[in-house]
Amino acid sequence: MHEVVVSDADAVVPDPVEVARHSWLTEPELRSALLEWCFTPDSHEAISRYLTFRTASS
């Protein structure tokens, strides 16, 4: 097993001028947000590919 070390240099720090909201979502929250919020034009395709890949990998 590998140890994962995360330093402050690895922290995600959004620029408030560019990012309206920054937080982690559960999968159900993400699915709901994709229906309600404006994302990038390919966000629906990206999450669909991710979920397909994750299902195939398990």
Side-chain angles (χ1 to χ4, degrees):
M1 187 156 81
H2 297 280
E3 179 181 355
V4 176
V5 178
V6 178
S7 69
D8 288 340
D10 295 330
V12 175
V13 182
D15 181 344
V17 174
E18 297 177 352
V19 179
R21 179 174 189 255
H22 175 259
S23 65
W24 295 106
L25 300 174
T26 63
E27 187 173 318
E29 290 170 332
L30 177 59
R31 288 178 184 271
S32 178
L34 284 167
L35 298 173
E36 298 174 26
W37 300 344
C38 181
F39 283 87
T40 60
D42 61 349
S43 58
H44 292 273
E45 181 181 352
I47 192 68
S48 176
R49 285 182 175 194
Y50 165 74
L51 294 171
T52 299
F53 173 79
R54 189 183 69 182
T55 301
S57 297
S58 56

